[in-house]
Amino acid sequence: MVKPLMYGYLRVDLDALDGDIRQMELALKFWAEQEGYCLAGLFHEYDTALNRPALTALIEETCRSNARRVITPSLAHLSTHPVVQHHLLDVLEDTGVQVHTLQGGTRPMKPPLYGYIRLLPPHANTSNAIVDQAERRMQQFADSHGYELIAVFIERSTSRAAFDHLMHGLLVEDVHHIIVPAHEALSAHHSHLFDDLIEELHAADVLIFDFEAIDTCDRRMRPC
């Protein structure tokens, strides 16, 4: 019996070792064989620009060959930025392509969840231990409550750049849940700013979870 075709896609750092690249290639080939597919080709993305020439070539090849399955090590190989990642998944799905990962999954169907961490002095420029601990708790919460933690935005300055990226993702990608270590992570000392940020989240129809009150916090209220 002829096996259905599928293609592999991986993004490769310019300084990646040949052995590491080969290991990923073999892993993709093994997955395809185990799932009953024939891996017809591999597309390596060396360009980090948004035009993604290898991905464009991959889409063209799937249309030409009518092979509608793609395997990649993880969705991060499409992009580590949640907005770009979901956009590229939409592009692929619009052409009839289904993306698989080495973990055996396709596009996450769980409700997406964003994390937000604001580091206060003197921790803003210290080690990542605080961030790692907070991210682990966020992931545990997502796993136990049926969410897909797709990105954690880390604020290390007063510019609120990370919060702006968070808001952009909420509005563009139809995400309606965020988790923070505490509501004070939004603004610990400026009540007017806190109210403004809560109002922005309320306007985006967002629910806020926090570590201190793990139940859902009504977005219309100040700290639960």
Side-chain angles (χ1 to χ4, degrees), residues 21-206:
I21 298 172
R22 182 58 178 164
Q23 185 176 9
M24 283 193 293
E25 293 172 342
L26 291 174
L28 296 179
K29 185 175 185 295
F30 179 78
W31 188 97
E33 291 175 348
Q34 291 294 108
E35 296 296 323
Y37 293 95
C38 174
L39 191 65
L42 287 166
F43 290 78
H44 300 76
E45 195 76 82
Y46 293 95
D47 189 352
T48 58
L50 291 178
N51 59 355
R52 300 286 197 278
L55 186 62
T56 300
L58 169 62
I59 293 173
E60 293 174 351
E61 179 61 21
T62 59
C63 293
R64 185 197 67 78
S65 65
N66 201 33
R68 301 303 186 184
R69 297 290 187 273
V70 169
I71 177 67
T72 187
S74 71
L75 293 181
H77 278 249
L78 294 177
S79 176
T80 56
H81 192 290
V83 174
V84 177
Q85 182 186 107
H86 280 252
H87 169 71
L88 293 177
L89 282 169
D90 286 340
V91 170
L92 288 161
E93 290 177 0
D94 286 345
T95 62
V97 173
Q98 186 175 25
V99 179
H100 300 264
T101 69
L102 289 179
Q103 289 74 35
T106 57
R107 184 171 187 159
M109 298 305 294
K110 297 178 182 178
L113 174 72
Y114 282 162
Y116 178 75
I117 302 170
R118 185 168 69 95
L119 296 177
L120 298 173
H123 304 297
N125 297 310
T126 57
S127 71
N128 291 325
I130 294 174
V131 172
D132 292 342
Q133 182 181 19
E135 288 182 334
R136 282 196 299 271
R137 290 200 61 187
M138 290 177 177
Q139 188 61 62
Q140 290 169 356
F141 172 86
D143 292 342
S144 61
H145 288 76
Y147 289 90
E148 183 76 24
L149 183 65
I150 59 175
V152 177
F153 298 84
I154 303 169
E155 198 83 76
R156 295 182 182 271
S157 69
T158 59
S159 67
R160 296 288 173 180
F163 185 84
D164 290 341
H165 287 303
L166 167 70
M167 287 301 303
H168 179 75
L170 292 171
L171 295 172
V172 172
E173 290 302 314
D174 197 33
V175 178
H176 296 283
H177 303 85
I178 68 171
I179 183 167
V180 296
H183 272 64
E184 288 76 14
L186 298 175
S187 180
H189 305 296
H190 304 286
S191 60
H192 292 299
L193 177 58
F194 182 92
D195 290 338
D196 290 342
L197 297 178
I198 290 294
E199 186 60 31
E200 285 188 57
L201 294 169
H202 168 58
D205 195 29
V206 172

